[in-house]
Amino acid sequence: MNQMLSGIAQQLKDNTQERSVSEQVAARLVTKKVQLIYAFNGSGKTRLSREFKELVNPKGENSEDSDEPTRSKILYYNAFTEDLFYWDNDLRGDVERKLCIQPNAYTRLVLVEQGQDQNAITHFQRYTDDKLTPRFNEEYTVKDKDGKERIVPAFSEVTFSFERGDDQKTDNVKISKGEESSFIWSIFYAVLEQVIEVLNVAEPDQRETDQFNELEYIFIDDPVSSLDDNHLIQLAVDLAALIKSNESNLKFIISTHNPLFYNVLCNELGSNDKSKRPYWKAQWLAKFRLDKSEDGSQTLIEQPNDSPFSYHLHLLSYLEEAIETGQVEKYHFNLLRNILEKTATFLGYKRWEQLLPESEDSGPNLYAKRIVNFASHSKHSADESKYLEPQEKNMLGLIVKHVINTHKFRREENQNA
């Protein structure tokens, strides 16, 4: 059933409600402590995290910008978290490049109050390079253009250096976007570790701090942008292990557009570390797919827990639906090329074009190759129209049908039956 994001946020919240054993048996429902959501970019994942935050912790009730963020019921990581960090590239001198940290209650909590800077650095180096070293600033005084002095607070700036291991280093390195995302995630992950460690102490009066006593939810939206597969898998394994160590009533909601990250989390959360058999807490895990409809509404579709999410089958099903309804647009060729490239790699072909329908001379259909290339790699503004000619739509249908029939893909609905 199509819903607004507010309705889906309520559904996710309802899934976490504590139920008695009799209620669980009667309704065949188990309290979900972890909910995983897969969705394409643009489906509303980040907006869903905001809707859920507003549902659990409305504005005015200890929002993330309040003086006491840790009295909040929810801690979340999403695009807004990354927006707290921005670059000063020193355009005039091109020397003192630094990542600035927008001061707010969240960054003050992580870096100043909880002192998680060193743990964050350790995690960052694991996901990037142990020679790439962040350094947080100490408090210092500067003069503005009018000659007035102002204090730059500690932990409001980060510089990066590359240690070469031979007493030489390169200072003020401008790190990549992927490394920047990893750094911001590492700061969040460091405080998440402490949250779980504190809340695992059952008696509130025996905890080292009461800052997290009101916390009920952790909402994580796409912490994996620009990471290579190896580091992405490591991040997913680390996060799953941390979640499995949680013995409190803390609930987790994780959304992502990355199928590898999604599947690694599913496998890690659903298996025992020693035996790799189904984990006894797997019943607490719910898996979903968030789909966006033509009218802009969203649908949250529950996925079976006994099978992995097959990204390529979902894409093929998505393409077949677009072809059947005649709603084919240029971006569908991007999805098709994604399938062709991954299938070619898996089957050992050197080029994805070898999976295309053959021409009369038994070579790849040149028109099919050209239209896939053209539609999936437009470079000019005139090419950005989402509309396609009838023959282009027909070619998409021909290629999809050929790939499915030639390589015997199982239909997604059959797999999930």
Side-chain angles (χ1 to χ4, degrees):
M1 180 180 65
N2 293 351
Q3 305 177 60
M4 300 299 290
L5 287 175
S6 56
I8 292 176
Q10 183 64 57
Q11 181 181 342
L12 294 173
K13 185 174 184 294
D14 291 342
N15 289 341
T16 67
Q17 299 306 299
E18 299 292 341
R19 297 178 175 88
S20 66
V21 175
S22 59
E23 288 176 326
Q24 291 181 22
V25 173
R28 295 185 178 181
L29 293 173
V30 177
T31 300
K32 302 301 182 183
K33 299 191 75 169
V34 184
Q35 299 181 83
L36 302 182
I37 303 170
Y38 173 82
F40 289 129
N41 276 332
S43 297
K45 301 186 308 300
T46 301
R47 286 180 289 126
L48 177 60
S49 70
R50 295 290 293 183
E51 287 285 351
F52 190 85
K53 180 262 176 186
E54 290 301 323
L55 176 65
V56 173
N57 219 93
K59 289 181 179 178
E61 293 187 14
N62 300 316
S63 69
E64 71 271 21
D65 296 319
S66 74
D67 292 332
E68 294 186 290
T70 50
R71 308 298 176 184
S72 173
K73 296 178 181 178
I74 182 170
L75 183 65
Y76 65 84
Y77 179 96
N78 61 15
F80 293 94
T81 309
E82 296 198 4
D83 286 344
L84 297 175
F85 298 77
Y86 59 97
W87 279 96
D88 177 353
N89 289 312
D90 186 23
L91 297 179
R92 183 182 298 273
D94 194 28
V95 174
E96 298 182 6
R97 291 175 288 272
K98 54 195 174 186
L99 185 63
C100 300
I101 304 175
Q102 182 70 33
N104 83 335
Y106 167 74
T107 55
R108 185 171 67 248
L109 160 70
V110 177
L111 301 173
V112 181
E113 297 178 15
Q114 299 301 322
Q116 293 296 315
D117 53 306
Q118 190 55 54
N119 287 340
I121 291 172
T122 300
H123 292 309
F124 169 70
Q125 291 180 325
R126 287 185 67 225
Y127 298 134
T128 54
D129 190 320
D130 59 5
K131 295 181 177 61
L132 184 58
T133 305
R135 286 184 172 82
F136 293 92
N137 71 302
E138 297 180 355
E139 183 180 298
Y140 66 96
T141 303
V142 295
K143 290 184 178 181
D144 59 22
K145 295 179 180 180
D146 298 327
K148 295 182 179 179
E149 292 188 345
R150 65 179 178 86
I151 296 176
V152 178
F155 297 103
S156 62
E157 299 172 351
V158 187
T159 55
F160 297 85
S161 63
F162 197 80
E163 314 287 344
R164 299 182 183 276
D166 54 1
D167 295 329
Q168 295 185 9
K169 66 178 182 178
T170 304
D171 290 321
N172 297 304
V173 174
K174 174 67 180 290
I175 61 176
S176 69
K177 184 62 178 176
E179 290 165 338
E180 181 184 337
S181 295
S182 295
F183 177 71
I184 298 169
W185 166 254
S186 296
I187 292 176
F188 180 88
Y189 186 84
V191 78
L192 185 56
E193 282 184 311
Q194 189 185 23
V195 166
I196 290 178
E197 181 181 349
V198 169
L199 293 183
N200 275 351
V201 177
E203 298 298 330
D205 58 355
Q206 295 181 10
R207 295 170 181 166
E208 63 181 76
T209 176
D210 64 354
Q211 286 186 304
F212 309 120
N213 286 359
E214 302 300 319
L215 197 60
E216 297 180 17
Y217 297 97
I218 305 292
F219 200 123
I220 299 170
D221 174 44
D222 260 340
V224 296
S225 58
S226 304
L227 278 182
D228 63 71
D229 285 356
N230 288 334
H231 289 119
L232 181 152
I233 292 171
Q234 183 64 59
L235 188 153
V237 169
D238 289 347
L239 178 58
L242 186 59
I243 291 173
K244 288 164 71 171
S245 73
N246 172 47
E247 298 294 340
S248 72
N249 290 323
L250 198 61
K251 279 72 168 194
F252 293 80
I253 300 171
I254 305 169
S255 58
T256 181
H257 76 283
N258 190 296
L260 177 59
F261 181 69
Y262 181 94
N263 273 337
V264 173
L265 277 177
C266 288
N267 293 335
E268 291 295 317
L269 290 169
S271 63
N272 180 282
D273 290 334
K274 295 181 179 179
S275 68
K276 295 301 179 184
R277 293 179 178 177
Y279 188 47
W280 70 273
K281 289 183 179 178
Q283 62 179 335
W284 292 358
L285 172 66
K287 304 189 303 185
F288 300 97
R289 191 176 77 234
L290 180 65
D291 284 351
K292 185 175 181 180
S293 304
E294 289 293 329
D295 62 3
S297 62
Q298 284 84 4
T299 307
L300 193 65
I301 304 170
E302 187 162 7
Q303 304 295 290
N305 266 335
D306 58 353
S307 63
F309 169 60
S310 298
Y311 179 63
H312 57 293
L313 298 183
H314 173 52
L315 287 187
L316 284 171
S317 176
Y318 191 79
L319 290 174
E320 286 185 298
E321 181 180 352
I323 293 166
E324 183 178 349
T325 60
Q327 303 297 316
V328 175
E329 297 180 13
K330 190 167 290 186
Y331 78 93
H332 288 110
F333 278 93
N334 281 301
L335 304 183
L336 174 60
R337 178 157 178 161
N338 188 305
I339 295 170
L340 291 171
E341 289 176 341
K342 287 180 169 58
T343 303
T345 299
F346 179 76
L347 295 177
Y349 289 98
K350 291 184 178 180
R351 300 185 62 82
W352 59 265
E353 294 94 327
Q354 294 176 275
L355 301 182
L356 295 173
E358 294 182 349
S359 60
E360 293 181 359
D361 61 359
S362 299
N365 186 302
L366 294 181
Y367 176 71
K369 175 183 175 181
R370 185 179 70 81
I371 191 60
V372 172
N373 268 325
F374 175 77
S376 60
H377 287 93
S378 297
K379 296 181 180 179
H380 305 288
S381 58
D383 294 334
E384 295 305 318
S385 170
K386 65 181 181 179
Y387 300 107
L388 297 169
E389 297 295 329
Q391 62 268 30
E392 295 170 334
K393 295 182 179 182
N394 291 337
M395 181 53 69
L396 180 74
L398 177 65
I399 297 173
V400 169
K401 183 177 180 180
H402 173 79
V403 169
I404 289 174
N405 292 337
T406 302
H407 301 290
K408 309 300 181 185
F409 282 98
R410 292 179 69 190
R411 296 296 198 273
E412 187 182 45
E413 59 268 21
N414 293 336
Q415 185 199 42
N416 292 338

